[in-house]
Amino acid sequence: MSSSPIDVNELIEMLKQIKEKKRVIRLPSLGEQSSIQIKSVEKPVQTFRIVINRKQKISGNYSFLEIHGNNGLLLRLDIIGPPHTNPDGTKVPCPHIHIARDYYDDSWAYEF
């Protein structure tokens, strides 16, 4: 019997903390990215990381990603970058946020 997967919304809503004490958060230079390891306070077995991404040298995109485990994208905050086209054709200007739906689907962006 396999265990049921955790709901994406439950993962997003979990209270989290940085794993390392006295961690300095480094904002990356253009063309780089940095990462912060975090874990759930209630369920420490659930691990996450925050990736601060500026790898796009040409456009200067600036994004913050919350990732569950190794590759489960939960949230992506695009601060600097192009508008996003949602699956229904609507365009969302930057800055915008992507909130994963089932199975880490982050194809929809929302204005804030």
Side-chain angles (χ1 to χ4, degrees):
M1 177 186 284
S2 65
S3 62
S4 61
I6 294 181
D7 179 66
V8 170
N9 291 325
E10 182 181 344
L11 291 169
I12 291 170
E13 293 173 7
M14 283 181 181
L15 180 62
K16 300 163 186 96
Q17 67 183 24
I18 296 174
K19 282 184 170 183
E20 302 168 18
K21 302 289 187 209
K22 299 180 184 176
R23 167 76 170 144
V24 174
I25 298 173
R26 185 181 71 81
L27 297 177
S29 299
L30 190 61
E32 298 179 348
Q33 74 177 19
S34 62
S35 182
I36 304 162
Q37 301 299 317
I38 58 177
K39 65 180 177 181
S40 167
V41 171
E42 299 94 8
K43 299 179 182 180
V45 69
Q46 297 297 335
T47 60
F48 305 83
R49 62 194 156 99
I50 302 295
V51 174
I52 306 166
N53 188 2
R54 295 196 68 199
K55 289 178 87 173
Q56 303 273 334
K57 287 185 179 182
I58 296 171
S59 64
N61 291 8
Y62 211 125
S63 297
F64 293 79
L65 299 86
E66 180 183 4
I67 299 170
H68 174 240
N70 290 327
N71 57 7
L73 183 61
L74 299 174
L75 299 170
R76 185 175 90 221
L77 176 61
D78 293 330
I79 302 293
I80 299 171
H84 176 81
T85 303
N86 281 330
D88 66 358
T90 59
K91 291 201 181 287
V92 180
C94 213
H96 56 256
I97 189 167
H98 296 257
I99 303 171
R101 296 179 177 199
D102 291 333
Y103 310 110
Y104 307 117
D105 172 16
D106 74 328
S107 58
W108 289 85
Y110 306 91
E111 275 190 81
F112 62 93

